Amino acid sequence: GAGVSQSPSNKVTEKGKDVELRCDPISGHTALYWYRQRLGQGLEFLIYFQGNSAPDKSGLPSDRFSAERTGESVSTLTIQRTQQEDSAVYLCASSPRGGTGANSPLHFGNGTRLTVT
Amino acid sequence: AQSVAQPEDQVNVAEGNPLTVKCTYSVSGNPYLFWYVQYPNRGLQFLLKYITGDNLVKGSYGFEAEFNKSQTSFHLKKPSALVSDSALYFCAVTSGNTPLVFGKGTRLSVIA
């Protein structure tokens, strides 16, 4: 079956514009994560969805960042009024039921490279 | 709070030699430890994990990692490096009820 799919693969936007990044997880995976990877940095946790539970938003860096997930399928990460420091690769991952990543490895997409000019 | 330290930004090793990529962690409670690998122009892939049991864990592509509770370490090892092992390696930890926390990554270069 297909893996985690992210779109677009690349996005260039002007400072101050809003962007939406999309993630299609693996079918049947109830857990979905967003991470950010800045150049030369590790993966920074942003937000975590698990089934119908309230999402863990503790990693979102500011109120310009938000994410939604429709049921156990597609997720959209929205960044409003983008800033240059938002430039990074945004990675989505999913895992089967029961994951905080503890027992079920995360399956990552190829990421969306966001460049804010 | 959970944290992971990968003290080396870059590791260089000759093909055929053993390799070690270091990782230390901090977590409340029992750790769940992982290694992921990111090959050029590809997404992150799961390599191996430690949950419980034997301290030496074997994973994909001949890699293994040793959990050392007293040193809070989970170093990645391979007896004989291949050029194709050149990639970015990430160590990660969770306490089990929080999302994975990743290290900054170590770039491994295997030289023919």
Side-chain angles (χ1 to χ4, degrees), chain B residues 26-62:
Chain B
S26 175
V27 67
S28 298
N30 293 322
Y32 298 80
L33 293 155
F34 298 78
W35 277 99
Y36 284 80
V37 58
Q38 188 174 36
Y39 295 104
N41 301 316
R42 295 176 64 179
L44 276 146
Q45 298 176 30
F46 167 76
L47 200 55
L48 54 79
K49 67 179 180 181
Y50 171 82
I51 304 296
T52 186
D54 289 341
N55 290 341
L56 185 64
V57 177
K58 295 186 183 296
S60 307
Y61 314 121

Side-chain angles (χ1 to χ4, degrees), chain A residues 37-97:
Chain A
Q37 186 178 19
R38 288 171 160 159
L39 187 64
Q41 301 295 316
L43 274 69
E44 177 185 0
F45 166 73
L46 297 177
I47 189 168
Y48 161 59
F49 296 90
Q50 173 62 56
N52 294 321
S53 301
D56 178 349
K57 303 180 181 179
S58 61
L60 294 178
S62 77
D63 59 7
R64 296 187 296 105
F65 287 72
S66 63
E68 293 183 350
R69 187 179 186 194
T70 306
E72 294 185 352
S73 60
V74 171
S75 177
T76 302
L77 177 68
T78 301
I79 309 173
Q80 296 178 310
R81 305 181 303 281
T82 52
Q83 304 294 313
Q84 287 185 332
E85 62 262 27
D86 299 335
S87 297
V89 176
Y90 289 81
L91 292 167
C92 176
S94 69
S95 69
R97 183 180 300 277

Side-chain angles (χ1 to χ4, degrees), chain B residues 23-25 31 33 50 55 66-75:
Chain B
C23 171
T24 58
Y25 66 90
L33 293 155
Y50 171 82
N55 290 341
E66 185 168 12
F67 170 62
N68 187 316
K69 187 174 182 178
S70 63
Q71 297 184 3
T72 61
S73 67
F74 191 57
H75 301 331

